[in-house]
C-alpha cells in the first residue's frame, strides 16, 4: 500500500518540497496520530492538576500551610506544569523518543533497506529530500508545541493573583520551542551519521533519556548547582524559576479559632540577560550549523543498488 502511494506521487510532473513533506505525512499517518493523542492527553492531565485542589491558582511555585496540621504541602502551579511537564523534562523525554523513532523510520532505515531509491526515481535533488524529512519532523513538533502554547496561555489567565509572572511563563514556553528545534536537529543528524550503526544511536538516545530523568529528579530533590549547570533546559536560561526560600506573597485561605490556612507564593528569580541572549545566539547558531552539516552529509552519501 505504501509503495503504491509513493509510486503515485512520483507520477506527478512537479515534485515540489511541499509535496515531498506531504508524502512523509502520509507514510507516517498512524505514528503521527498516536503521538499527537499521547501529547494532548498528557497536556490535559497537567492542566487538570493545575486547576484542581485548594488554594488560588498560581503561575509561581507555591505551598499551602495549614496550622491545624502544621504540615505544608505543595499544590501544582503552572510553572511546575511548564518546567517539568508540557514544556519541560517529561515532554522532552517523549519528544526525544518520538523524533528518534521518526528519524530511524524515515532516514536510517530507508537508507539501510534501500527504500531511499524511491525518492530518487525522479530528478529530485538530494538536498530537497533531506530538507523535506527534516521539515516534516519539525512540523509535527511545532504543531504539538503550538496547541499546547495556546492551551496554557489561555488557562494561565485563571491565575488572577499571579499575573505578574504571566510574561515569564510565555517567554519560557517560547524558549522551549528553540531548545526542541535544537534537540531535533541533533537527533536527526546523529541518526544520519550512525545510519549503519543503529545500536549506537539507540544507546545515545537512551543515555540522554536517563540524563533527562536525573535532571528531572534534581529539579525536585537535589537542586544542585552542578546539575543545574549541565541541564539541557537551562542552555538558554530558565525564565520561570522561583526562589523557594523567599516568599513573595501570602494569601489567607481560611481562618478560625484553631488556626488558619494560608498560601505562600514564592519570589521570581531575576532573569540573567547575558545567559539569556548568549544562550539564544548559541542555540540558533548550532541549529543552522548542524542542519548545514546534515545536508552536506546526505548529499555526499553514495547509494549502491
Amino acid at each position: 500500500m505504501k509503495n503504491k502511494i509513493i509510486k503515485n506521487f512520483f507520477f506527478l510532473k512537479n515534485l515540489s518540497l511541499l509535496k515531498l513533506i506531504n508524502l512523509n505525512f502520509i507514510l507516517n499517518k498512524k505514528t503521527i496520530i498516536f503521538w499527537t493523542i499521547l501529547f494532548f492527553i498528557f497536556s490535559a492531565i497537567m492542566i487538570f492538576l493545575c486547576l484542581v485542589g485548594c488554594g488560588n491558582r498560581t503561575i509561581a511555585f507555591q505551598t499551602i500551610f495549614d496550622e491545624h496540621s502544621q504540615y505544608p504541602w505543595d499544590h501544582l502551579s503552572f510553572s511546575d506544569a511548564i518546567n517539568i511537564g508540557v514544556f519541560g523534562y517529561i515532554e522532552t523525554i517523549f519528544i526525544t523518543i518520538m523524533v528518534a523513532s521518526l528519524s530511524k523510520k524515515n532516514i536510517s532505515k530507508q537508507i539501510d533497506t534501500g527504500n531511499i531509491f524511491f525518492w530518487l526515481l525522479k530528478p529530485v535533488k538530494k538536498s530537497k529530500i533531506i530538507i523535506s524529512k527534516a521539515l516534516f519532523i519539525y512540523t509535527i513538533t511545532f504543531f504539538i508545541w503550538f496547541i499546547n502554547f495556546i492551551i496554557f496561555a489561555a488557562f494561565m489567565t485563571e491565575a488572577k493573583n499571579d499575573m505578574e509572572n504571566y510574561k515569564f511563563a510565555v517567554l519560557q514556553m517560547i524558549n522551549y520551542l528553540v531548545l526542541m528545534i535544537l534537540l531535533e536537529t541533533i537527533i536527526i543528524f546523529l541518526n544520519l551519521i550512525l545510519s549503519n550503526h543503529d545500536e549506537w544511536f539507540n544507546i545515545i538516545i537512551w543515555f540522554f533519556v536517563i540524563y533527562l530523568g536525573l535532571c528531572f529528579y534534581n529539579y525536585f530533590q537535589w537542586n544542585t548547582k552542578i546539575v543545574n549547570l549541565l541541564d539541557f533546559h537551562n542552555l538558554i536560561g530558565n525564565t520561570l524559576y522561583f526562589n523557594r526560600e523567599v516568599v513573595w506573597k501570602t494569601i489567607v485561605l481560611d481562618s478560625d479559632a484553631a488556626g488558619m490556612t494560608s498560601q505562600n507564593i514564592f519570589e521570581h528569580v531575576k532573569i540573567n540577560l547575558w545567559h539569556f541572549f548568549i544562550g539564544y545566539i548559541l542555540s540558533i547558531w548550532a541549529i543552522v550549523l548542524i542542519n548545514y552539516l546534515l545536508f552536506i552529509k546526505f548529499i555526499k552519501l553514495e547509494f549502491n543498488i
Side-chain angles (χ1 to χ4, degrees), residues 46 59 61 75-85 219 244:
M46 297 304 292
I59 295 172
F61 179 78
H75 174 63
L76 190 71
S77 65
F78 283 105
S79 65
D80 290 326
I82 289 172
N83 286 328
I84 68 172
Y219 181 86
R244 302 185 185 187

Side-chain angles (χ1 to χ4, degrees), residues 91 194 212 222 262:
E91 185 98 344
L194 296 173
L212 289 173
W222 302 331
S262 60

